[in-house]
């Protein structure tokens, strides 16, 4: 994982959907590993989900030159004037927050690289949650239940004194977002965007 500017992608097509495999360009050794993964994914006999022995879940995956359309964070990280400088985080994937001996559904400023002067504003956020237990095909059983904030949620943070984020704070936040957030990041969880334009317009 890394900043989108440092990433290569092998976009894939699944039915009418597009997705991308991301890896850090600063680690060249990963390119060969990703090529192996793509070769497996685009091979014959790919099946997803359960009951695969009963012919369920048969899919065909192909590499395409068309990259998936992904909204990006505003370059400056600045908020719209009328919002008094809060920071809005749009979840581009589910987010699993850990710590304290279990799952958390209330985000903390530290989860996003913010100091304690920032507060989570539930009254200005849009939060949805879900819980599920992943299926482990090797053990033929379900794993521990997960509780996550779902993709599409908007989490808003503001300083107690209503001041704008400093350049240093924004830099820390962007570094945190570039590596993704929370737990189970290896499964694609934890991608978020800071103050994307379509959120500010709402």
């Amino acid at each position: 994982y890394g900043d989108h500017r440092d990433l290569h992608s092998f976009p894939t097509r699944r039915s009418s959907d597009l997705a991308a495999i991301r890896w850090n360009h600063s680690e060249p050794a990963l390119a060969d590993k990703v090529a192996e993964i793509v070769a497996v994914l685009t091979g014959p006999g790919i099946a997803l989900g359960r009951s695969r022995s009963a012919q369920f879940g048969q899919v065909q995956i192909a590499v395409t030159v068309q990259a998936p359309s992904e909204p990006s964070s505003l370059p400056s990280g600045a908020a719209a004037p009328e919002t008094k400088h809060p920071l809005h985080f749009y979840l581009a994937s589910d987010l699993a927050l850990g710590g304290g001996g279990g799952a958390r559904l209330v985000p903390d400023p530290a989860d996003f690289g913010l100091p304690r002067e920032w507060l989570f504003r539930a009254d200005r956020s849009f939060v949805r949650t879900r819980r599920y237990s992943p299926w482990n095909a090797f053990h033929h059983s379900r794993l521990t239940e997960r509780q996550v904030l779902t993709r599409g949620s908007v989490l808003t943070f503001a300083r107690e004194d209503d001041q704008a984020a400093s350049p240093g704070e924004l830099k820390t936040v962007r570094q945190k977002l570039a590596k993704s957030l929370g737990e189970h990041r290896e499964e694609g969880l934890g991608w978020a965007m800071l103050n994307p334009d379509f959120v500010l317009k709402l």
Side-chain angles (χ1 to χ4, degrees):
Y1 298 97
D3 187 275
H4 283 221
R5 294 169 296 182
D6 297 324
L7 298 176
H8 286 323
S9 297
F10 272 132
T12 57
R13 179 180 293 275
R14 181 165 61 97
S15 297
S16 59
D17 296 330
L18 292 172
I21 299 175
R22 300 181 177 91
W23 72 96
N24 195 329
H25 182 49
S26 64
E27 299 183 35
L30 291 177
D32 293 335
K33 179 59 67 175
V34 171
E36 294 177 18
I37 294 173
V38 171
V40 172
L41 290 176
T42 56
I46 300 298
L48 303 176
R50 300 180 63 182
S51 301
R52 289 172 290 181
S53 59
Q55 306 300 318
F56 282 86
Q58 296 293 320
V59 298
Q60 181 178 9
I61 302 174
V63 176
T64 177
V65 296
Q66 180 182 358
S69 176
E70 296 182 357
S72 59
S73 301
L74 289 182
S76 65
E82 65 273 12
T83 59
K84 291 189 178 179
H85 310 290
L87 298 180
H88 305 284
F89 294 91
Y90 173 82
L91 299 188
S93 66
D94 288 353
L95 173 60
L97 299 175
R104 289 186 293 112
L105 295 177
V106 178
D108 187 88
D111 296 323
F112 296 83
L114 292 169
R116 290 296 174 184
E117 291 77 19
W118 290 82
L119 302 174
F120 173 61
R121 292 292 304 272
D123 59 321
R124 304 181 71 175
S125 299
F126 174 80
V127 181
R128 291 292 181 270
T129 64
R130 72 184 181 106
R131 60 183 184 179
Y132 64 96
S133 299
W135 176 258
N136 187 302
F138 181 81
H139 294 290
H140 298 287
S141 64
R142 293 195 177 276
L143 302 179
T144 304
E145 181 183 270
R146 297 178 184 175
Q147 298 183 45
V148 299
L149 304 176
T150 59
R151 174 181 180 179
S153 294
V154 178
L155 311 178
T156 299
F157 291 85
R159 288 178 61 104
E160 291 180 300
D161 55 11
D162 241 359
Q163 295 298 308
S166 67
E169 289 174 333
L170 288 176
K171 180 179 179 180
T172 301
V173 168
R174 291 186 180 284
Q175 290 174 342
K176 190 90 170 177
L177 295 180
K179 297 179 181 179
S180 67
L181 309 168
E183 300 182 339
H184 311 298
R185 293 178 290 175
E186 73 283 356
E187 299 178 20
L189 275 67
W191 289 102
M193 291 175 285
L194 172 62
N195 285 354
D197 185 57
F198 65 90
V199 170
L200 296 182
K201 286 180 179 179
L202 296 177

